[in-house]
Amino acid sequence: MKKLFNSAETMVDDMIDGYVSACPQVTRGTLDPRVVIRRQGAKNPDEKVTLLIGNGAGHEPIAMGFVGRGLLDANVVGDVFAAPSADLILDGIREVTGQAGSILLISQHSGDVINGRAATMLAEEEGLNVRPLLMYDDISAAPPERRHDRRGAPGTMFVYKILGAAAEEGLGQDALMRLGEAVRDRTVTLAAAVSPGISPLSGQPMFSLPDDEIFLGMGVHGEPGVGRVKTGPVRDLVAEMVERLLADRPIAEGGRAAVIINGMGGTTQMELWTVWRETEAELRRRGITPLSPMVGSYVTTQEMGGVSISLLEPDDEMLRLWCAPQDSPAFPHIHSEDDQS
């Protein structure tokens, strides 16, 4: 499949060059060009806890698209589908950590966890105050009794946004860690893939799937999930996905759910809005109020076709922070209940 790159060797750096040139909110760090940091409105790191994350390229706009006021202070960009090295993450920690400390967000995948933990230990040896926060939400990766073994999935964006808003307001490191863990523990995600993405490195499809089947529980790198279902009306697919999500983490009748509908890269906005509409209807049928949705393609795997549904049962403070203003190149405005009334 044709792709628009100069070369496999330069594709990530060419992308970052274009990104920082186009987006005034961000710039490259001074320690390594693979570290993207806030340029506009950055606060004194001796007074504000900073947030950063490392991740492989190829999933944009996450996570460098979320660097900005009210969200991340830095993103450390690895090679395509590969976690950045511990030394590179350490450069990101050095770039943004001051007396107030920092939190390194780690989406739970083996390379990210190993390198993130190693970078944290190296930073601590230098006297830098950094705390790692593991994020995981993919219910297809492990049962509820082993939720600590789950993969990070698009529901981690609830953590990015809520912690980013709270840090911007001056919340301390310990309180931010408790808040992040609480958001993580209230979040569940399930994905459904309909077609593979093409690796920009090999030029080959990342998996194969018959035309009449949907892969339920596919991970962001093509990892296996819970099985296959036949294609049919999207309302049937959504009903099964919501059923599985609520069986894993129930929300009582009369409760609320903030919702993320995330496209995998090759899914049209027409399809995503339809999935949102069916998700809204299914939740309301169960007596649950869906609110403040985020609908679009934010955690992608090249042109993979498919969608994930993430649910967060928020308390009032989480919901306020989820809807708080932010200024990043790619994160959307999230409407509050007041906006929707």
Side-chain angles (χ1 to χ4, degrees):
M1 182 176 181
K2 299 181 180 71
K3 287 181 179 274
L4 302 177
F5 298 120
N6 289 316
S7 70
E9 293 73 25
T10 68
M11 63 174 65
V12 175
D13 294 296
D14 290 345
M15 172 187 69
I16 298 173
D17 281 342
Y19 172 63
V20 299
S21 175
C23 302
Q25 299 97 322
V26 298
T27 188
R28 274 190 154 117
T30 59
L31 299 177
D32 193 288
R34 288 287 187 91
V35 179
V36 176
I37 62 173
R38 286 173 64 171
R39 176 163 60 185
Q40 292 186 338
K43 292 188 174 181
N44 185 342
D46 290 336
E47 300 173 355
K48 174 194 176 294
V49 177
T50 51
L51 303 178
L52 71 157
I53 189 170
N55 61 274
H59 300 292
E60 292 74 30
I62 203 173
M64 66 182 188
F66 304 157
V67 175
R69 178 177 57 83
L71 266 162
L72 299 177
D73 295 281
N75 176 221
V76 183
V77 185
D79 291 330
V80 174
F81 302 155
S85 68
D87 287 340
L88 181 52
I89 298 171
L90 177 60
D91 280 341
I93 295 170
R94 290 166 172 157
E95 193 81 52
V96 299
T97 304
Q99 292 299 314
S102 63
I103 294 175
L104 175 65
L105 303 176
I106 303 174
S107 184
Q108 187 151 281
H109 300 274
S110 58
D112 297 89
V113 174
I114 292 169
N115 294 351
R117 288 192 184 280
T120 300
M121 290 188 290
L122 292 170
E124 290 171 345
E125 290 174 2
E126 294 187 7
L128 296 171
N129 177 17
V130 58
R131 303 269 297 277
L133 177 63
L134 288 180
M135 303 181 297
Y136 43 81
D137 56 305
D138 184 352
I139 69 168
S140 72
E145 62 271 19
R146 290 196 296 110
R147 64 177 63 251
H148 298 295
D149 297 328
R150 289 176 170 175
R151 299 182 292 245
T156 59
M157 291 188 288
F158 285 124
V159 178
Y160 289 29
K161 177 60 178 63
I162 291 170
L163 260 62
E168 200 74 23
E169 294 179 0
L171 202 65
Q173 191 184 44
D174 289 343
L176 284 168
M177 287 292 295
R178 290 193 296 271
L179 176 60
E181 291 166 354
V183 173
R184 178 192 67 197
D185 293 345
R186 288 169 170 255
T187 300
V188 286
T189 296
L190 183 62
V194 299
S195 62
I198 307 299
S199 169
L201 300 176
S202 69
Q204 298 301 310
M206 298 177 69
F207 60 88
S208 61
L209 192 66
D211 288 342
D212 65 342
E213 290 184 354
I214 294 172
F215 207 126
L216 199 60
M218 177 73 72
V220 296
H221 302 103
E223 302 96 331
V226 295
R228 300 180 180 187
V229 296
K230 291 295 184 181
T231 57
V234 71
R235 69 174 64 90
D236 296 342
L237 175 64
V238 168
E240 178 164 356
M241 293 174 73
V242 171
E243 170 67 29
R244 288 176 180 259
L245 289 166
L246 294 177
D248 189 278
R249 190 188 185 284
I251 298 176
E253 186 173 352
R256 304 179 299 179
V259 182
I260 297 174
I261 305 296
N262 180 73
M264 296 178 174
T267 311
T268 65
Q269 197 66 37
M270 175 186 288
E271 293 167 283
L272 296 177
W273 286 123
T274 302
V275 171
W276 154 247
R277 183 65 187 92
E278 296 299 338
T279 302
E280 179 188 34
E282 182 65 21
L283 289 170
R284 291 193 186 281
R285 187 181 70 79
R286 297 167 177 268
I288 300 167
T289 300
L291 41 77
S292 302
M294 177 178 178
V295 183
S297 296
Y298 300 103
V299 184
T300 67
T301 306
Q302 299 296 291
E303 62 278 79
M304 185 185 291
V307 65
S308 63
I309 302 173
S310 300
L311 303 179
L312 164 69
E313 184 179 19
D315 61 24
D316 289 343
E317 181 66 358
M318 291 174 186
L319 185 60
R320 183 187 71 80
L321 294 166
W322 174 239
C323 299
Q326 55 81 32
D327 181 25
S328 69
F331 206 94
H333 172 70
I334 305 296
H335 291 278
S336 68
E337 292 176 283
D338 292 337
D339 294 331
Q340 296 169 320
S341 61

